[in-house]
Amino acid sequence: MTPFAIALLCAAYIFGLLLTGFGNVAGLPIGAIASLGLAVLAAVAMPKFWRIGRSRNWLAAGLVGCIAVFYFQFRIPQPIASDISHLLNDDFLQVQVQGTIDSTPRLTRSQKIQFWLRANQAKIGDRSQSVTGKLYVTVPLLQATGLYPGQTVSVSGFLYDPKPATNPGGFNFQAYLRQEGGFAGLSGRSIEITSSSPPPILWTVRQRILRSQVSALGVPAGVLVSAMVMGRNGIDLPFAVQDEFSRAGLAHALAASGFQVSLLISMILALTRRLSGRTGWILGTAIVLAYVGLTGLQPAVLRAAIMGLAALYALTSDRKIRPIASLLVAATVLLLWNPLWIWNLGFQFSFMATLGLLLTAQPLSDRLDWLPTSIASTAAVSIAAYLWTLPLQLYVFGTVSPYSILINILATPLIVGVSIGGMVNALIALGSPAIGALTAKLLFLPTHALLQLVAQVDRLPGNLYAIGAASTFQVVILYLLWASLSWRLSPPQKPAPRLLWITAFLSLSLVALPAWYDRAHLTQISVLATEEMPVVVVQTPGQVVLINSGSETEVRYTVQPFLRQAGINRIDRAIALDDRSNWEKLRETNAIETRYQVGRAIDARLLGEGQTLTIDPLRLHIVSANPPILEMQLHNQRWLLLGSKGQIPSTLPRADVVWWPGHNASMLFRAVQPQVAIAPSLEPPASSLQQKNIHTIATDEQGAIVWTPDRGFAALLSEDESSGL
């Protein structure tokens, strides 16, 4: 089989797995149909334009892509009959679970300790039974002292069913657990270690290195060095530092990936250059495999390790290697082992960044030959990696880091220095923690310089700019443009300077024009799925109004993700119905032009009872300040928002839509007579009501609710998008 045929089949397998994201039609996977259809078209058309591609190669590729789709579905984890998730017959179940800790415990943003537990027994009341399955467990911080993988523990708490994303841009907790083979979570209240075996060797090594570097450099510098060397898996780097690196476009520096593996390979080659090729290969393989185990078998590291070992073998045996084919083969091997990794963000970003470096970095470096060699090389790598991960960044997060290329160029020498120094120091710390702590102090200046650089960039205006979530069509076109540009930049092609400008203009237009059109013409009301108070985003041409922000947790996990995927960077009017909103947290990512407070003014303009605020075409009227009740009118649609669980007044204006806390439904419906009633959850009396011509919606079940004048109401978790709702 020719190298081209191998590369084509690998690409077809990866492409087939990507097509699994399109679902089914008439009971058949769309991906399988598309793979075969595209293969037939390619078999007919491609040989006429490309002599290397024979018809049988394309047909074989289509068959491989089709098989990949079915293989993916076959490998989707399913709970077996004894899985602990089958015990759930309600949202929460008080239970005591015994099992073995299956991952390194780590700190969460809510200051709890999280780990995976492989369950073997569950006790409900006085009844015990054998179970199987993985549980996503969280326990209080003070309860988790001394935990490590391999221990047998007994955790008491509440078993719960993980929920899908209920808001646009939100985290799909259910999908995440299922990808990891888990189908239930356990909110632990107490934990008891029932038996302990010696901790795993790799865990002990990680802790030895971490303690040595933290003792010398403190927090966060010491933790940062350990994270840059061994990855963030099981290393509790402060979330404030993680967020700063992410907003600056340097998140890759905190994850063990191809960058660290390439540095390791370079160090191995330098150390083994006087040894025989076979000895160098064996020693290098042992070091790389040990490093992979140290990082926790992450997909991005495994991909880099396979490619690195292939490159090491080629260099130590004087053989040539085809980098693109090596990348495709490495990705295929991993995806054969676990096809679900195709949707792992670390794998996706690592793959696209590496592909960009292979296709674009060298041609860019050649065009930057007017710069000093080291600067040209660093700039080319930064630009190539940025370009090839940008479409994926837009698709997943809807944001760009405007200073990313510049800060990557400035930070690369520091990242290289800290990473190499950290690796050398880790080896010293394994032999002698005391000497390791002493030598780690040499990393004080570059580590703190890196932290300061990132902190300064984080303070720059617009350091993270929301454009809005890109569509699949936009992502595909952008990658086609990047590939075309890379091909034209490569010898013997001699592109005219205008080609670069044309490509830049087309790319910018593809992203910016749809975003600009939406802001200029979109009229939409979004009711986010929150627990206690209404959080409503009103978008009209040129204006964004936010009513309430929710708690700090809701700001982080509900409001900010929605604003990012909607491409909203500035809120023109922010209105708080009470004092429970957290505007300071929201200001970290979004500018707020004017704030209003109902009832009393604290750092905001006062909106008193009976007062009306007009933001054309939106009209807001304060019906009551205590309890807070807001009437909102947009076009011919009249809304009523009740922002408290207090007593509902006996006299209320009529409205087409009402948001209420979910209680006293009968009295509310008689007074308001709405067509649509929205609540965070419905209490049993409300859910049993059969009100004539009134549609009740619970956002905890149907997710966020979106209304537009043309399409009416649509629920995130419902396919019913009829304006008759």
Side-chain angles (χ1 to χ4, degrees):
M1 188 178 292
T2 65
F4 170 79
I6 295 174
L8 180 61
L9 293 180
C10 290
Y13 178 77
I14 297 170
F15 182 66
L17 293 179
L18 287 172
L19 291 177
T20 58
F22 289 97
N24 300 327
V25 58
L28 293 174
I30 295 176
I33 299 172
S35 293
L36 293 176
L38 291 173
V40 172
L41 290 176
V44 174
M46 292 303 292
K48 298 179 180 179
F49 304 100
W50 196 8
R51 291 189 303 171
I52 197 173
R54 298 180 179 179
S55 296
R56 63 185 182 187
N57 290 338
W58 297 105
L59 292 175
L63 181 60
V64 168
C66 182
I67 293 173
V69 174
F70 288 103
Y71 177 59
F72 178 89
Q73 294 185 337
F74 173 75
R75 290 291 304 274
I76 294 176
Q78 299 292 338
I80 62 176
S82 60
D83 193 273
I84 190 171
S85 61
H86 290 303
L87 297 179
L88 278 167
N89 53 16
D90 202 350
D91 287 341
F92 291 92
L93 175 69
Q94 190 166 0
V95 65
Q96 182 178 0
V97 181
Q98 181 173 299
T100 304
I101 297 178
D102 201 37
S103 67
T104 301
R106 61 182 182 85
L107 187 67
T108 68
R109 288 186 183 272
S110 57
Q111 298 303 299
K112 293 184 178 182
I113 296 297
Q114 182 276 323
F115 56 87
W116 284 100
L117 181 73
R118 195 162 292 279
N120 55 51
Q121 191 167 10
K123 183 178 181 181
I124 305 172
D126 296 329
R127 179 173 57 89
S128 296
Q129 68 180 83
S130 297
V131 295
T132 60
K134 290 175 64 176
L135 273 178
Y136 180 94
V137 179
T138 54
V139 295
L141 180 60
L142 296 179
Q143 293 275 339
T145 304
L147 295 182
Y148 56 80
Q151 288 178 313
T152 300
V153 297
S154 178
V155 186
S156 298
F158 292 91
L159 193 69
Y160 62 89
D161 186 20
K163 301 297 182 184
T166 55
N167 290 285
F171 178 62
N172 193 330
F173 186 46
Q174 184 183 81
Y176 167 72
L177 292 197
R178 291 184 176 180
Q179 188 180 47
E180 298 295 323
F183 304 93
L186 180 62
S187 179
R189 296 296 183 265
S190 63
I191 182 170
E192 178 185 355
I193 301 174
T194 58
S195 68
S196 293
S197 57
I201 294 177
L202 290 176
W203 183 87
T204 304
V205 169
R206 289 173 63 88
Q207 295 303 307
R208 190 182 182 98
I209 295 171
L210 176 62
R211 284 194 294 266
S212 176
Q213 293 175 339
V214 170
S215 66
L217 300 173
V219 178
V223 188
L224 174 62
V225 173
S226 294
M228 292 176 66
V229 172
M230 300 181 291
R232 284 178 291 178
N233 184 35
I235 293 179
D236 295 324
L237 183 66
F239 288 105
V241 176
Q242 294 186 40
D243 293 339
E244 286 182 350
F245 272 75
S246 179
R247 288 192 291 265
L250 286 175
H252 61 87
L254 305 179
S257 61
F259 181 77
Q260 283 79 359
V261 173
S262 64
L263 289 178
L264 190 62
I265 295 292
S266 299
M267 293 172 62
I268 292 171
L269 290 173
L271 294 173
T272 61
R273 64 179 182 272
R274 295 184 179 180
L275 301 177
S276 66
R278 180 181 176 83
T279 303
W281 156 250
I282 294 174
L283 181 60
T285 300
I287 294 174
V288 170
L289 292 179
Y291 180 75
V292 169
L294 197 63
T295 60
L297 301 180
Q298 298 300 304
V301 181
L302 289 171
R303 191 275 314 157
I306 294 174
M307 291 189 66
L309 290 176
L312 184 63
Y313 176 75
L315 291 171
T316 55
S317 60
D318 293 326
R319 297 191 180 187
K320 292 184 178 180
I321 187 171
R322 293 178 173 84
I324 300 294
S326 174
L327 173 63
L328 292 175
V329 170
T332 302
V333 169
L334 292 178
L335 294 174
L336 283 170
W337 174 259
N338 186 355
L340 274 67
W341 278 345
I342 191 67
W343 301 115
N344 180 282
L345 288 181
F347 177 87
Q348 292 176 346
F349 277 102
S350 174
F351 181 89
M352 296 313 303
T354 305
L355 183 62
L357 295 181
L358 296 178
L359 291 177
T360 310
Q362 188 58 52
L364 281 177
S365 182
D366 294 341
R367 269 53 183 191
L368 296 174
D369 55 2
W370 48 276
L371 291 172
T373 304
S374 59
I375 296 178
S377 177
T378 302
V381 168
S382 300
I383 294 171
Y386 181 80
L387 286 179
W388 281 83
T389 56
L390 179 60
L392 184 58
Q393 171 89 8
L394 291 175
Y395 182 79
V396 177
F397 302 110
T399 60
V400 295
S401 303
Y403 311 114
S404 179
I405 294 176
L406 177 60
I407 190 176
N408 270 278
I409 294 173
L410 296 176
T412 293
L414 294 173
I415 294 173
V416 171
V418 172
S419 297
I420 294 178
M423 289 178 182
V424 174
N425 175 256
L427 291 174
I428 297 173
L430 289 179
S432 171
I435 299 178
L438 184 64
T439 55
K441 293 181 180 180
L442 298 174
L443 300 173
F444 180 88
L445 288 179
T447 304
H448 281 271
L450 180 60
L451 285 168
Q452 286 298 317
L453 175 62
V454 173
Q456 291 299 322
V457 171
D458 191 55
R459 298 188 185 100
L460 295 176
N463 65 311
L464 188 69
Y465 191 81
I467 294 180
S471 66
T472 303
F473 171 79
Q474 289 173 299
V475 171
V476 171
I477 296 301
L478 284 174
Y479 277 128
L480 289 176
L481 286 172
W482 296 167
S484 175
L485 180 62
S486 300
W487 177 70
R488 293 291 299 174
L489 284 174
S490 300
Q493 307 292 334
K494 299 294 183 182
R498 66 169 179 262
L499 178 63
L500 297 174
W501 291 106
I502 291 173
T503 303
F505 174 77
L506 290 176
S507 303
L508 186 62
S509 300
L510 184 66
V511 174
L513 287 180
W516 169 83
Y517 183 85
D518 281 346
R519 291 183 182 87
H521 298 88
L522 181 64
T523 298
Q524 176 175 292
I525 297 177
S526 304
V527 182
L528 304 186
T530 51
E531 293 185 0
E532 295 185 0
M533 59 192 303
V535 176
V536 180
V537 182
V538 184
Q539 296 167 261
T540 59
Q543 293 280 342
V544 176
V545 177
L546 175 62
I547 301 171
N548 296 327
S549 74
S551 63
E552 180 176 348
T553 299
E554 288 173 331
V555 169
R556 178 182 297 278
Y557 296 109
T558 299
V559 179
Q560 288 176 330
F562 173 84
L563 297 178
R564 286 196 296 267
Q565 68 86 36
I568 297 174
N569 298 283
R570 187 190 69 174
I571 298 168
D572 299 283
R573 303 288 188 274
I575 302 170
L577 298 184
D578 55 26
D579 57 2
R580 290 178 291 173
S581 290
N582 195 307
W583 300 115
E584 293 306 315
K585 185 64 182 175
L586 188 60
R587 279 175 169 160
E588 293 179 3
T589 55
N590 295 84
I592 300 177
E593 183 175 320
T594 309
R595 277 185 51 204
Y596 296 89
Q597 180 88 29
V598 174
R600 59 176 181 167
I602 303 176
D603 237 6
R605 297 186 183 183
L606 175 65
L607 278 178
E609 187 169 316
Q611 190 170 347
T612 299
L613 178 65
T614 301
I615 311 167
D616 191 46
L618 179 67
R619 176 182 174 272
L620 302 171
H621 177 71
I622 308 302
V623 176
S624 170
N626 188 22
I629 300 176
L630 174 67
E631 182 184 36
M632 179 173 65
Q633 184 171 351
L634 181 61
H635 296 307
N636 296 324
Q637 189 79 263
R638 191 183 298 270
W639 294 59
L640 197 65
L641 306 179
L642 282 69
S644 173
K645 286 190 174 182
Q647 183 65 35
I648 296 177
S650 56
T651 58
L652 288 171
R654 293 188 177 183
D656 302 301
V657 184
V658 63
W659 188 102
W660 95 110
H663 69 289
N664 295 336
S666 299
M667 183 178 68
L668 173 68
F669 290 173
R670 283 196 300 270
V672 180
Q673 299 183 11
Q675 297 176 7
V676 178
I678 306 171
S681 61
L682 296 177
E683 297 178 358
S687 60
S688 63
L689 289 174
Q690 298 295 329
Q691 296 290 338
K692 186 177 181 180
N693 296 326
I694 297 178
H695 185 82
T696 56
I697 302 173
T699 55
D700 64 342
E701 296 179 358
Q702 294 184 265
I705 308 299
V706 175
W707 174 86
T708 58
D710 298 331
R711 302 180 63 188
F713 288 90
L716 178 65
L717 302 182
S718 172
E719 295 181 359
D720 190 354
E721 297 182 358
S722 169
S723 60
L725 266 180

